[in-house]
Amino acid sequence: MKIQPNNSEPVYTIGIVAKMLKVCQATLRIWERKGLIKPARLGKNRFYSQCDLERLEHIKDLIQMKKINIQGVKNILNVTRCWEVKKCKPKQRDACVVYQKAC
């Protein structure tokens, strides 16, 4: 039996994520305070999943490379997704490439 990785399992600490993204921990805290990301919490500690990491990479790209401000990034991230509009059933979503990339 092959164990499938769970991309939504919060396993990375803020320090690890900061190093992986090459940003400081304060930046991640600011992005959280501004509502761009909501890491899992265990007590006072933040834990990020692979999906969170991919979202943070996208946020970093929008802010640093595309020069979009935080409110613009929030607007982009809050766009309604196609499976929400079409009300796709879970089985349909599993076969959808767009859904798989979105985590």
Side-chain angles (χ1 to χ4, degrees):
M1 174 184 215
K2 184 179 177 186
I3 297 174
Q4 296 292 330
N6 183 351
N7 288 340
S8 61
E9 184 73 29
V11 294
Y12 302 108
T13 64
I14 192 169
I16 298 296
V17 172
K19 285 180 185 177
M20 292 169 81
L21 294 174
K22 297 183 178 140
V23 299
C24 64
Q25 293 179 26
T27 298
L28 296 174
R29 290 187 193 99
I30 290 167
W31 291 350
E32 179 184 357
R33 195 170 54 246
K34 298 290 184 175
L36 298 176
I37 190 77
K38 185 160 177 51
R41 293 279 194 146
L42 182 58
K44 292 183 178 182
N45 298 318
R46 294 167 175 86
F47 290 92
Y48 298 84
S49 68
Q50 183 62 39
C51 286
D52 292 335
L53 187 57
E54 290 169 12
R55 181 179 175 98
L56 287 165
E57 287 172 341
H58 185 58
I59 290 167
K60 179 183 173 191
D61 180 63
L62 290 171
I63 292 172
Q64 293 183 355
M65 303 303 288
K66 305 270 191 306
K67 306 296 185 198
I68 298 173
N69 65 23
I70 297 240
Q71 187 58 50
V73 172
K74 282 178 83 169
N75 292 341
I76 290 168
L77 296 176
N78 288 330
V79 170
T80 304
R81 295 181 171 97
C82 65
W83 57 86
E84 294 167 349
V85 173
K86 294 171 109 180
K87 297 186 181 358
C88 294
K89 292 183 170 60
K91 286 184 181 180
Q92 292 169 315
R93 291 180 194 170
D94 291 341
C96 176
V97 176
V98 176
Y99 180 78
Q100 291 171 1
K101 287 184 180 180
C103 283

Short mmCIF file of all heavy atoms in Angstrom, two decimals, residues 33-84:
data_model
loop_
_atom_site.label_atom_id
_atom_site.label_comp_id
_atom_site.label_asym_id
_atom_site.label_seq_id
_atom_site.Cartn_x
_atom_site.Cartn_y
_atom_site.Cartn_z
N ARG A 33 -1.46 38.52 9.38
CA ARG A 33 -2.25 39.59 9.99
C ARG A 33 -3.13 40.30 8.95
O ARG A 33 -4.25 40.70 9.24
CB ARG A 33 -1.32 40.59 10.68
CG ARG A 33 -2.02 41.52 11.63
CD ARG A 33 -1.09 42.34 12.49
NE ARG A 33 -0.10 43.10 11.74
CZ ARG A 33 1.23 42.89 11.77
NH1 ARG A 33 1.73 41.94 12.51
NH2 ARG A 33 2.04 43.62 11.06
N LYS A 34 -2.63 40.41 7.72
CA LYS A 34 -3.37 41.06 6.63
C LYS A 34 -4.40 40.12 6.00
O LYS A 34 -5.15 40.52 5.12
CB LYS A 34 -2.41 41.57 5.55
CG LYS A 34 -1.44 42.62 6.03
CD LYS A 34 -2.14 43.92 6.33
CE LYS A 34 -1.14 44.98 6.71
NZ LYS A 34 -1.75 46.28 6.89
N GLY A 35 -4.43 38.86 6.42
CA GLY A 35 -5.44 37.93 5.94
C GLY A 35 -5.09 37.19 4.67
O GLY A 35 -5.98 36.62 4.03
N LEU A 36 -3.82 37.16 4.29
CA LEU A 36 -3.42 36.46 3.07
C LEU A 36 -3.24 34.97 3.30
O LEU A 36 -3.35 34.17 2.36
CB LEU A 36 -2.11 37.05 2.52
CG LEU A 36 -2.16 38.51 2.10
CD1 LEU A 36 -0.77 38.98 1.66
CD2 LEU A 36 -3.18 38.73 1.01
N ILE A 37 -2.96 34.58 4.52
CA ILE A 37 -2.71 33.18 4.84
C ILE A 37 -3.19 32.92 6.26
O ILE A 37 -3.17 33.82 7.09
CB ILE A 37 -1.19 32.83 4.70
CG1 ILE A 37 -0.92 31.34 4.78
CG2 ILE A 37 -0.35 33.59 5.70
CD1 ILE A 37 -1.26 30.59 3.55
N LYS A 38 -3.63 31.72 6.52
CA LYS A 38 -4.06 31.35 7.87
C LYS A 38 -3.45 30.00 8.21
O LYS A 38 -4.04 28.96 7.96
CB LYS A 38 -5.58 31.29 7.95
CG LYS A 38 -6.09 31.04 9.35
CD LYS A 38 -7.53 31.44 9.49
CE LYS A 38 -8.12 31.15 10.83
NZ LYS A 38 -7.42 31.59 11.97
N PRO A 39 -2.25 30.02 8.79
CA PRO A 39 -1.60 28.75 9.15
C PRO A 39 -2.33 28.08 10.32
O PRO A 39 -3.03 28.74 11.09
CB PRO A 39 -0.19 29.17 9.55
CG PRO A 39 -0.33 30.59 9.99
CD PRO A 39 -1.44 31.18 9.17
N ALA A 40 -2.14 26.79 10.43
CA ALA A 40 -2.68 26.06 11.57
C ALA A 40 -1.91 26.49 12.82
O ALA A 40 -0.75 26.90 12.74
CB ALA A 40 -2.53 24.56 11.33
N ARG A 41 -2.56 26.40 13.95
CA ARG A 41 -1.92 26.77 15.21
C ARG A 41 -1.94 25.60 16.18
O ARG A 41 -2.93 24.87 16.26
CB ARG A 41 -2.67 27.93 15.87
CG ARG A 41 -2.61 29.24 15.13
CD ARG A 41 -1.32 29.92 15.44
NE ARG A 41 -1.37 31.30 15.00
CZ ARG A 41 -0.78 32.28 15.64
NH1 ARG A 41 -0.11 32.05 16.73
NH2 ARG A 41 -0.82 33.49 15.17
N LEU A 42 -0.85 25.44 16.88
CA LEU A 42 -0.77 24.50 17.98
C LEU A 42 -0.20 25.31 19.13
O LEU A 42 1.01 25.60 19.16
CB LEU A 42 0.12 23.30 17.64
CG LEU A 42 0.23 22.22 18.72
CD1 LEU A 42 -1.14 21.66 19.07
CD2 LEU A 42 1.14 21.11 18.24
N GLY A 43 -1.07 25.75 20.01
CA GLY A 43 -0.67 26.71 21.03
C GLY A 43 -0.36 28.03 20.33
O GLY A 43 -1.15 28.53 19.55
N LYS A 44 0.82 28.56 20.58
CA LYS A 44 1.24 29.81 19.93
C LYS A 44 2.02 29.56 18.64
O LYS A 44 2.34 30.49 17.92
CB LYS A 44 2.11 30.62 20.88
CG LYS A 44 1.37 31.17 22.07
CD LYS A 44 2.28 32.03 22.92
CE LYS A 44 1.51 32.62 24.09
NZ LYS A 44 2.35 33.51 24.89
N ASN A 45 2.33 28.31 18.36
CA ASN A 45 3.15 27.98 17.20
C ASN A 45 2.32 27.86 15.93
O ASN A 45 1.23 27.31 15.93
CB ASN A 45 3.90 26.66 17.44
CG ASN A 45 4.84 26.76 18.61
OD1 ASN A 45 5.54 27.76 18.78
ND2 ASN A 45 4.87 25.74 19.44
N ARG A 46 2.89 28.38 14.83
CA ARG A 46 2.26 28.30 13.52
C ARG A 46 2.85 27.11 12.77
O ARG A 46 4.05 26.90 12.79
CB ARG A 46 2.56 29.57 12.71
CG ARG A 46 1.96 30.83 13.26
CD ARG A 46 2.60 32.04 12.55
NE ARG A 46 1.98 33.28 12.95
CZ ARG A 46 2.33 33.98 14.02
NH1 ARG A 46 3.30 33.57 14.81
NH2 ARG A 46 1.71 35.11 14.29
N PHE A 47 1.97 26.40 12.06
CA PHE A 47 2.40 25.30 11.21
C PHE A 47 1.76 25.45 9.84
O PHE A 47 0.58 25.75 9.74
CB PHE A 47 2.04 23.95 11.83
CG PHE A 47 2.85 23.63 13.05
CD1 PHE A 47 2.39 23.97 14.31
CD2 PHE A 47 4.08 22.99 12.94
CE1 PHE A 47 3.14 23.69 15.44
CE2 PHE A 47 4.84 22.71 14.06
CZ PHE A 47 4.37 23.06 15.32
N TYR A 48 2.58 25.26 8.81
CA TYR A 48 2.14 25.45 7.44
C TYR A 48 2.15 24.12 6.69
O TYR A 48 3.02 23.29 6.90
CB TYR A 48 3.08 26.42 6.72
CG TYR A 48 3.11 27.80 7.33
CD1 TYR A 48 3.93 28.08 8.43
CD2 TYR A 48 2.33 28.82 6.83
CE1 TYR A 48 3.96 29.34 9.00
CE2 TYR A 48 2.36 30.09 7.39
CZ TYR A 48 3.18 30.34 8.47
OH TYR A 48 3.19 31.59 9.03
N SER A 49 1.18 23.96 5.79
CA SER A 49 1.09 22.76 4.96
C SER A 49 1.79 23.02 3.62
O SER A 49 2.19 24.16 3.32
CB SER A 49 -0.38 22.42 4.71
OG SER A 49 -0.98 23.41 3.89
N GLN A 50 1.89 21.99 2.81
CA GLN A 50 2.43 22.15 1.46
C GLN A 50 1.55 23.10 0.65
O GLN A 50 2.05 23.92 -0.11
CB GLN A 50 2.54 20.78 0.76
CG GLN A 50 3.17 20.86 -0.61
CD GLN A 50 4.62 21.35 -0.59
OE1 GLN A 50 5.38 21.01 0.30
NE2 GLN A 50 4.99 22.15 -1.55
N CYS A 51 0.23 23.00 0.83
CA CYS A 51 -0.68 23.92 0.14
C CYS A 51 -0.43 25.36 0.57
O CYS A 51 -0.43 26.27 -0.25
CB CYS A 51 -2.14 23.54 0.40
SG CYS A 51 -2.67 22.09 -0.50
N ASP A 52 -0.22 25.56 1.89
CA ASP A 52 0.10 26.89 2.39
C ASP A 52 1.39 27.40 1.76
O ASP A 52 1.49 28.57 1.37
CB ASP A 52 0.28 26.89 3.91
CG ASP A 52 -1.01 26.63 4.68
OD1 ASP A 52 -2.09 26.92 4.15
OD2 ASP A 52 -0.90 26.13 5.82
N LEU A 53 2.38 26.53 1.67
CA LEU A 53 3.67 26.90 1.10
C LEU A 53 3.51 27.33 -0.36
O LEU A 53 4.06 28.36 -0.78
CB LEU A 53 4.64 25.74 1.21
CG LEU A 53 6.08 25.99 0.81
CD1 LEU A 53 6.70 27.13 1.60
CD2 LEU A 53 6.90 24.73 1.01
N GLU A 54 2.72 26.60 -1.13
CA GLU A 54 2.49 26.97 -2.52
C GLU A 54 1.74 28.30 -2.62
O GLU A 54 2.03 29.14 -3.47
CB GLU A 54 1.72 25.85 -3.23
CG GLU A 54 2.58 24.61 -3.43
CD GLU A 54 1.80 23.38 -3.86
OE1 GLU A 54 0.61 23.51 -4.24
OE2 GLU A 54 2.38 22.29 -3.83
N ARG A 55 0.77 28.50 -1.73
CA ARG A 55 0.03 29.78 -1.70
C ARG A 55 0.99 30.92 -1.36
O ARG A 55 0.94 31.99 -1.96
CB ARG A 55 -1.11 29.69 -0.68
CG ARG A 55 -1.95 30.95 -0.57
CD ARG A 55 -3.05 30.76 0.45
NE ARG A 55 -3.82 31.94 0.69
CZ ARG A 55 -4.99 32.22 0.13
NH1 ARG A 55 -5.54 31.37 -0.71
NH2 ARG A 55 -5.62 33.34 0.40
N LEU A 56 1.87 30.69 -0.39
CA LEU A 56 2.84 31.72 0.00
C LEU A 56 3.81 32.04 -1.13
O LEU A 56 4.18 33.21 -1.31
CB LEU A 56 3.59 31.29 1.26
CG LEU A 56 2.78 31.36 2.54
CD1 LEU A 56 3.46 30.57 3.65
CD2 LEU A 56 2.54 32.80 2.96
N GLU A 57 4.22 31.04 -1.89
CA GLU A 57 5.09 31.29 -3.05
C GLU A 57 4.36 32.18 -4.05
O GLU A 57 4.96 33.10 -4.62
CB GLU A 57 5.50 29.97 -3.70
CG GLU A 57 6.51 29.20 -2.91
CD GLU A 57 6.79 27.80 -3.46
OE1 GLU A 57 5.96 27.26 -4.23
OE2 GLU A 57 7.84 27.25 -3.12
N HIS A 58 3.08 31.91 -4.25
CA HIS A 58 2.26 32.72 -5.17
C HIS A 58 2.13 34.15 -4.64
O HIS A 58 2.29 35.12 -5.38
CB HIS A 58 0.89 32.06 -5.33
CG HIS A 58 0.00 32.72 -6.32
ND1 HIS A 58 0.35 32.89 -7.65
CD2 HIS A 58 -1.23 33.26 -6.19
CE1 HIS A 58 -0.63 33.50 -8.28
NE2 HIS A 58 -1.60 33.74 -7.42
N ILE A 59 1.87 34.29 -3.34
CA ILE A 59 1.77 35.61 -2.72
C ILE A 59 3.07 36.38 -2.88
O ILE A 59 3.08 37.56 -3.26
CB ILE A 59 1.39 35.47 -1.22
CG1 ILE A 59 -0.06 34.98 -1.10
CG2 ILE A 59 1.60 36.78 -0.47
CD1 ILE A 59 -0.43 34.51 0.31
N LYS A 60 4.19 35.72 -2.60
CA LYS A 60 5.50 36.36 -2.72
C LYS A 60 5.72 36.84 -4.15
O LYS A 60 6.18 37.97 -4.37
CB LYS A 60 6.60 35.38 -2.31
CG LYS A 60 7.98 35.95 -2.41
CD LYS A 60 9.04 34.92 -2.07
CE LYS A 60 10.42 35.48 -2.36
NZ LYS A 60 11.46 34.46 -2.29
N ASP A 61 5.38 36.01 -5.12
CA ASP A 61 5.54 36.39 -6.52
C ASP A 61 4.67 37.60 -6.87
O ASP A 61 5.14 38.54 -7.52
CB ASP A 61 5.17 35.20 -7.43
CG ASP A 61 5.32 35.56 -8.90
OD1 ASP A 61 6.46 35.86 -9.32
OD2 ASP A 61 4.30 35.54 -9.62
N LEU A 62 3.43 37.59 -6.42
CA LEU A 62 2.53 38.72 -6.72
C LEU A 62 3.05 40.02 -6.11
O LEU A 62 3.01 41.07 -6.75
CB LEU A 62 1.12 38.42 -6.20
CG LEU A 62 0.35 37.34 -6.94
CD1 LEU A 62 -0.95 37.00 -6.19
CD2 LEU A 62 0.04 37.76 -8.37
N ILE A 63 3.56 39.95 -4.89
CA ILE A 63 4.03 41.16 -4.20
C ILE A 63 5.39 41.62 -4.73
O ILE A 63 5.57 42.79 -5.07
CB ILE A 63 4.08 40.93 -2.67
CG1 ILE A 63 2.66 40.77 -2.12
CG2 ILE A 63 4.81 42.07 -1.97
CD1 ILE A 63 2.60 40.34 -0.67
N GLN A 64 6.34 40.70 -4.80
CA GLN A 64 7.71 41.09 -5.13
C GLN A 64 7.97 41.21 -6.63
O GLN A 64 8.67 42.12 -7.06
CB GLN A 64 8.70 40.12 -4.50
CG GLN A 64 8.69 40.21 -2.99
CD GLN A 64 9.72 39.29 -2.34
OE1 GLN A 64 10.39 38.51 -2.99
NE2 GLN A 64 9.83 39.38 -1.03
N MET A 65 7.45 40.30 -7.42
CA MET A 65 7.75 40.31 -8.85
C MET A 65 6.73 41.12 -9.66
O MET A 65 7.10 41.85 -10.56
CB MET A 65 7.82 38.87 -9.39
CG MET A 65 8.83 37.99 -8.66
SD MET A 65 10.52 38.64 -8.67
CE MET A 65 10.95 38.38 -10.36
N LYS A 66 5.46 40.96 -9.31
CA LYS A 66 4.41 41.65 -10.06
C LYS A 66 4.08 43.03 -9.48
O LYS A 66 3.32 43.78 -10.06
CB LYS A 66 3.14 40.79 -10.09
CG LYS A 66 3.32 39.38 -10.61
CD LYS A 66 3.13 39.30 -12.08
CE LYS A 66 3.02 37.92 -12.66
NZ LYS A 66 4.03 36.96 -12.41
N LYS A 67 4.66 43.32 -8.30
CA LYS A 67 4.50 44.63 -7.64
C LYS A 67 3.03 44.95 -7.32
O LYS A 67 2.59 46.10 -7.43
CB LYS A 67 5.10 45.75 -8.48
CG LYS A 67 6.54 45.54 -8.88
CD LYS A 67 7.44 45.50 -7.68
CE LYS A 67 8.89 45.39 -8.14
NZ LYS A 67 9.78 44.94 -7.12
N ILE A 68 2.27 43.93 -6.91
CA ILE A 68 0.88 44.12 -6.52
C ILE A 68 0.83 44.34 -5.02
O ILE A 68 1.48 43.62 -4.26
CB ILE A 68 0.03 42.89 -6.94
CG1 ILE A 68 0.08 42.74 -8.46
CG2 ILE A 68 -1.40 43.01 -6.45
CD1 ILE A 68 -0.56 41.49 -8.99
N ASN A 69 0.03 45.31 -4.59
CA ASN A 69 -0.05 45.58 -3.16
C ASN A 69 -0.90 44.52 -2.45
O ASN A 69 -1.54 43.69 -3.08
CB ASN A 69 -0.57 47.00 -2.88
CG ASN A 69 -1.99 47.21 -3.32
OD1 ASN A 69 -2.78 46.27 -3.47
ND2 ASN A 69 -2.36 48.46 -3.54
N ILE A 70 -0.89 44.57 -1.12
CA ILE A 70 -1.56 43.53 -0.32
C ILE A 70 -3.05 43.45 -0.64
O ILE A 70 -3.58 42.35 -0.78
CB ILE A 70 -1.33 43.79 1.18
CG1 ILE A 70 0.14 43.70 1.47
CG2 ILE A 70 -2.19 42.88 2.04
CD1 ILE A 70 0.65 42.71 2.45
N GLN A 71 -3.72 44.58 -0.77
CA GLN A 71 -5.16 44.55 -1.08
C GLN A 71 -5.40 43.92 -2.44
O GLN A 71 -6.33 43.15 -2.62
CB GLN A 71 -5.77 45.95 -1.02
CG GLN A 71 -7.28 45.94 -1.18
CD GLN A 71 -7.99 45.09 -0.12
OE1 GLN A 71 -7.74 45.23 1.07
NE2 GLN A 71 -8.85 44.19 -0.55
N GLY A 72 -4.55 44.22 -3.41
CA GLY A 72 -4.66 43.60 -4.73
C GLY A 72 -4.47 42.10 -4.67
O GLY A 72 -5.19 41.34 -5.33
N VAL A 73 -3.50 41.66 -3.88
CA VAL A 73 -3.25 40.22 -3.71
C VAL A 73 -4.48 39.57 -3.07
O VAL A 73 -4.92 38.51 -3.50
CB VAL A 73 -1.98 39.97 -2.87
CG1 VAL A 73 -1.84 38.50 -2.52
CG2 VAL A 73 -0.75 40.47 -3.60
N LYS A 74 -5.05 40.22 -2.04
CA LYS A 74 -6.26 39.68 -1.39
C LYS A 74 -7.38 39.52 -2.41
O LYS A 74 -8.07 38.51 -2.43
CB LYS A 74 -6.71 40.59 -0.25
CG LYS A 74 -5.90 40.43 1.01
CD LYS A 74 -6.34 41.38 2.08
CE LYS A 74 -7.51 40.81 2.82
NZ LYS A 74 -7.83 41.58 4.03
N ASN A 75 -7.55 40.53 -3.26
CA ASN A 75 -8.60 40.47 -4.28
C ASN A 75 -8.36 39.31 -5.25
O ASN A 75 -9.30 38.59 -5.61
CB ASN A 75 -8.69 41.78 -5.05
CG ASN A 75 -9.20 42.92 -4.20
OD1 ASN A 75 -9.80 42.72 -3.15
ND2 ASN A 75 -8.94 44.14 -4.64
N ILE A 76 -7.13 39.13 -5.67
CA ILE A 76 -6.80 38.03 -6.59
C ILE A 76 -7.07 36.69 -5.93
O ILE A 76 -7.66 35.79 -6.53
CB ILE A 76 -5.33 38.13 -7.05
CG1 ILE A 76 -5.16 39.33 -7.98
CG2 ILE A 76 -4.86 36.84 -7.71
CD1 ILE A 76 -3.72 39.70 -8.27
N LEU A 77 -6.65 36.54 -4.68
CA LEU A 77 -6.81 35.26 -3.98
C LEU A 77 -8.26 34.95 -3.63
O LEU A 77 -8.62 33.79 -3.43
CB LEU A 77 -5.95 35.24 -2.72
CG LEU A 77 -4.44 35.32 -2.93
CD1 LEU A 77 -3.72 35.40 -1.59
CD2 LEU A 77 -3.94 34.14 -3.75
N ASN A 78 -9.10 35.97 -3.55
CA ASN A 78 -10.50 35.77 -3.19
C ASN A 78 -11.43 35.58 -4.38
O ASN A 78 -12.64 35.51 -4.21
CB ASN A 78 -11.00 36.94 -2.33
CG ASN A 78 -10.40 36.90 -0.94
OD1 ASN A 78 -10.09 35.84 -0.41
ND2 ASN A 78 -10.22 38.06 -0.34
N VAL A 79 -10.87 35.48 -5.57
CA VAL A 79 -11.69 35.25 -6.76
C VAL A 79 -12.41 33.92 -6.61
O VAL A 79 -11.84 32.92 -6.17
CB VAL A 79 -10.80 35.24 -8.03
CG1 VAL A 79 -11.57 34.77 -9.24
CG2 VAL A 79 -10.22 36.62 -8.27
N THR A 80 -13.68 33.88 -6.98
CA THR A 80 -14.46 32.65 -6.90
C THR A 80 -13.91 31.65 -7.91
O THR A 80 -13.71 31.97 -9.08
CB THR A 80 -15.94 32.94 -7.19
OG1 THR A 80 -16.39 33.93 -6.28
CG2 THR A 80 -16.78 31.68 -7.02
N ARG A 81 -13.71 30.44 -7.46
CA ARG A 81 -13.15 29.40 -8.33
C ARG A 81 -14.26 28.72 -9.12
O ARG A 81 -15.40 28.65 -8.69
CB ARG A 81 -12.38 28.40 -7.47
CG ARG A 81 -11.18 29.07 -6.83
CD ARG A 81 -10.41 28.09 -6.00
NE ARG A 81 -9.16 28.65 -5.56
CZ ARG A 81 -8.96 29.20 -4.37
NH1 ARG A 81 -9.94 29.25 -3.51
NH2 ARG A 81 -7.78 29.68 -4.05
N CYS A 82 -13.87 28.16 -10.27
CA CYS A 82 -14.85 27.58 -11.19
C CYS A 82 -15.65 26.46 -10.54
O CYS A 82 -16.85 26.34 -10.77
CB CYS A 82 -14.18 27.10 -12.47
SG CYS A 82 -13.00 25.75 -12.25
N TRP A 83 -15.03 25.64 -9.69
CA TRP A 83 -15.77 24.52 -9.10
C TRP A 83 -16.79 25.00 -8.08
O TRP A 83 -17.75 24.31 -7.81
CB TRP A 83 -14.82 23.48 -8.48
CG TRP A 83 -13.89 24.02 -7.45
CD1 TRP A 83 -14.13 24.19 -6.12
CD2 TRP A 83 -12.55 24.47 -7.67
NE1 TRP A 83 -13.03 24.72 -5.50
CE2 TRP A 83 -12.04 24.89 -6.42
CE3 TRP A 83 -11.74 24.54 -8.79
CZ2 TRP A 83 -10.75 25.39 -6.27
CZ3 TRP A 83 -10.45 25.03 -8.63
CH2 TRP A 83 -9.98 25.45 -7.39
N GLU A 84 -16.58 26.20 -7.55
CA GLU A 84 -17.58 26.77 -6.65
C GLU A 84 -18.79 27.28 -7.45
O GLU A 84 -19.92 27.13 -7.01
CB GLU A 84 -16.97 27.90 -5.82
CG GLU A 84 -15.89 27.41 -4.87
CD GLU A 84 -15.07 28.53 -4.27
OE1 GLU A 84 -15.17 29.68 -4.74
OE2 GLU A 84 -14.30 28.24 -3.33
#
